[in-house]
Amino acid sequence: MKRNEKKSTHRDERGIALVSTLLFLMTMGVLSTALVFTVQNEMRTSTSYKYSQQAFYVANAGIQKAAHWFANNYTPHLPSSAYDATTMPVRFSGSDVLLAGQTGSTSAYPNSSVAAAFAGSFGSQSLQGDSKNAGIYSVNATLLKHTPASFINPLTFETYPSATERWRIVSIGHWGSSANPLGISQIMAIVENSGNALFDRALWGIDYVDLGGTVLIDSYDPGLGPYGGVNRGNMGSIGTNGSVSAVGTVDIRGDMAYGPTGTYSLGGNSTVSGDIIRLPAPRFFPPIPAFNVGTTNFDIKERRTLSPGAYGRVQIGTKGTLALQPGVYYFDELTEGATGTLTISGDTTIFVKSALDLSGRGVINPLGDPTKLTIFYSGTSRSDIVGGASAFMEVYAPNAAVKFVGTSDFYGSFIGKSVTIQGTPDVHFDEGCLRENIIQRQFRTINWSQTIY
């Protein structure tokens, strides 16, 4: 009986082992199937990611090429009156200003040749690696901002009209054919060609600024009328690559910037309404390019009118008045005697080579606009300037000390190797200087984003 019981037990165990084996095989089959599906999904995901990345590189190629095109092949359209720049995007003939390269889009731009050139460069452009690796990108560009301004070439000091602009560039990249793409990516970038005004502060003393006496430095907007009353602003900033000394009764209604290794000192009666800033690096001031002067000299003792051109030494003697017609002048020397006067009647630019002294009766600019009289002085001897009710001017003397003489006001912007003010003159920065003599930058990317489909 015991032997029979043991045999029965063994038969039961063989049944359990069979069931366990079948369950194990079933489990392994399920796990294997799940593993196969997982691997397949991972492969599909990896392939999809690969194609989307390849589409991204294609779209990015469109962005890079478009940024290069704007920097090297594009000039803002003039006249600005063709645009309605009061909206964003800017509009032309009732439509957003658009340069189109994408299928289904039509350019809205005042110059048809520019629109055609853009479409030819950015309409369904192929990017070919080999027979099995290729992509297509297409680009649209929308004008977001257009601001007309007067620019200056820092190499030649020639001025020219142009505009600062901001464009939104949208590039769509397809990996494979655009009709049946394996991957799609879209990139949007913002490019702009901003610039910095050469005359961007009331005073710039490259080596130092020394303010003594009783001095007010503020600003005004000539678009709002003459200085005074409510037309008094807080953009009367000063700057230097070195140190600032303001130990008199000095009221600076703006910022005060000093050099990376410089210092500043303020007297007990001196105030700065804006920020006091240590510059991270010295500001660069472009040298005035070499220019030719004439050989004809004048010793002016009465009133004399000159036309634009090149002259030698011009001395404005006692009771003499030099009247300049609108245009560009090149002088070897330009100096005033005790009661000499320089006057203009229109937009005038003066280049002076060896000596500049306007300490007689100063400058008379009846236009009331400092940007209409710009003086570039390349010499090294000190330049003295007298203010007055009509002393509206911009002065750029990067190699010479500039000293303000007298007790009258100055309007505009003044740059010298150093700047010194003694006595009681006030300086009123013309905010219109920020829109003139701008050193233009090339278009550059300022923002970027990506959309993956």
Side-chain angles (χ1 to χ4, degrees):
M1 291 295 293
K2 292 181 180 179
R3 197 162 40 245
N4 290 337
E5 289 176 1
K6 288 181 181 179
K7 289 180 180 179
S8 175
T9 300
H10 286 301
R11 283 195 298 269
D12 293 340
E13 290 176 353
R14 284 197 298 269
I16 293 172
L18 179 60
V19 172
S20 299
T21 301
L22 292 174
L23 290 174
F24 175 77
L25 292 174
M26 184 184 299
T27 301
M28 292 301 296
V30 171
L31 292 174
S32 298
T33 302
L35 182 60
V36 169
F37 280 113
T38 300
V39 171
Q40 289 177 340
N41 287 335
E42 290 292 334
M43 291 179 64
R44 282 193 291 267
T45 300
S46 178
T47 301
S48 176
Y49 174 76
K50 180 183 73 172
Y51 290 148
S52 68
Q53 283 298 104
Q54 289 168 325
F56 161 77
Y57 294 133
V58 172
N60 190 51
I63 289 291
Q64 298 303 321
K65 185 176 179 181
H68 183 271
W69 186 88
F70 274 101
N72 296 278
N73 302 96
Y74 172 79
T75 300
H77 178 78
L78 295 177
S80 298
S81 58
Y83 293 139
D84 177 6
T86 62
T87 65
M88 190 176 71
V90 177
R91 296 180 70 80
F92 167 68
S93 295
S95 300
D96 294 347
V97 178
L98 177 69
L99 290 172
Q102 295 174 5
T103 302
S105 298
T106 303
S107 292
Y109 191 81
N111 189 317
S112 59
S113 62
V114 173
F118 187 91
S121 297
F122 299 102
S124 298
Q125 298 296 299
S126 177
L127 210 60
Q128 187 77 35
D130 53 40
S131 60
K132 296 182 179 179
N133 293 280
I136 296 173
Y137 66 80
S138 55
V139 179
N140 277 1
T142 303
L143 181 59
L144 302 179
K145 184 179 179 181
H146 175 94
T147 305
S150 174
F151 294 84
I152 184 169
N153 186 322
L155 299 179
T156 65
F157 273 50
E158 294 178 349
T159 58
Y160 59 96
S162 188
T164 58
E165 290 188 340
R166 179 175 295 175
W167 287 83
R168 179 178 62 223
I169 301 172
V170 177
S171 175
I172 298 179
H174 296 87
W175 186 249
S177 67
S178 56
N180 187 26
L182 299 172
I184 304 176
S185 182
Q186 175 180 294
I187 298 176
M188 183 189 73
I190 305 296
V191 299
E192 70 174 15
N193 66 332
S194 62
N196 295 322
L198 181 63
F199 298 99
D200 63 343
R201 292 175 182 256
L203 303 174
W204 261 108
I206 298 173
D207 288 350
Y208 65 85
V209 174
D210 184 5
L211 305 178
T214 302
V215 180
L216 167 67
I217 304 174
D218 61 2
S219 68
Y220 72 106
D221 185 351
L224 301 178
Y227 171 82
V230 297
N231 194 10
R232 297 180 182 181
N234 294 318
M235 296 182 66
S237 299
I238 68 172
T240 178
N241 288 338
S243 299
V244 177
S245 174
V247 295
T249 301
V250 182
D251 185 3
I252 301 172
R253 298 185 183 179
D255 298 335
M256 182 176 74
Y258 63 100
T261 60
T263 59
Y264 70 90
S265 58
L266 295 176
N269 294 321
S270 296
T271 59
V272 178
S273 68
D275 296 327
I276 298 177
I277 305 165
R278 181 190 291 273
L279 297 175
R283 175 180 169 180
F284 172 73
F285 291 87
I288 298 173
F291 55 88
N292 295 321
V293 298
T295 57
T296 303
N297 301 325
F298 292 96
D299 188 2
I300 300 171
K301 297 181 179 179
E302 296 180 346
R303 181 181 179 88
R304 187 177 188 107
T305 301
L306 293 182
S307 300
Y311 301 90
R313 178 184 56 80
V314 176
Q315 168 72 37
I316 308 172
T318 301
K319 297 183 180 180
T321 297
L322 172 60
L324 299 179
Q325 294 181 344
V328 181
Y329 293 80
Y330 301 91
F331 296 102
D332 183 30
E333 298 182 11
L334 180 60
T335 58
E336 287 181 350
T339 57
T341 301
L342 171 69
T343 181
I344 68 168
S345 58
D347 198 345
T348 304
T349 301
I350 300 173
F351 288 86
V352 182
K353 186 175 183 180
S354 301
L356 175 67
D357 186 348
L358 300 177
S359 59
R361 293 176 59 193
V363 174
I364 296 177
N365 175 0
L367 304 175
D369 183 350
T371 66
K372 299 303 181 183
L373 174 59
T374 304
I375 301 175
F376 296 107
Y377 174 42
S378 61
T380 58
S381 61
R382 193 180 81 183
S383 175
D384 292 351
I385 304 175
V386 166
S390 297
F392 297 88
M393 70 189 94
E394 299 172 322
V395 176
Y396 185 73
N399 304 315
V402 174
K403 183 177 180 180
F404 291 76
V405 180
T407 60
S408 299
D409 291 1
F410 296 82
Y411 302 84
S413 178
F414 305 86
I415 300 172
K417 186 172 178 60
S418 63
V419 170
T420 301
I421 297 180
Q422 302 294 331
T424 60
D426 293 340
V427 180
H428 312 295
F429 175 63
D430 172 11
E431 296 171 17
C433 294
L434 298 173
R435 298 184 291 274
E436 304 287 335
N437 292 304
I438 296 175
I439 300 176
Q440 192 170 30
R441 296 177 180 174
Q442 285 188 332
F443 279 91
R444 58 195 178 96
T445 303
I446 63 171
N447 196 5
W448 184 95
S449 63
Q450 176 191 8
T451 302
I452 299 176
Y453 296 95

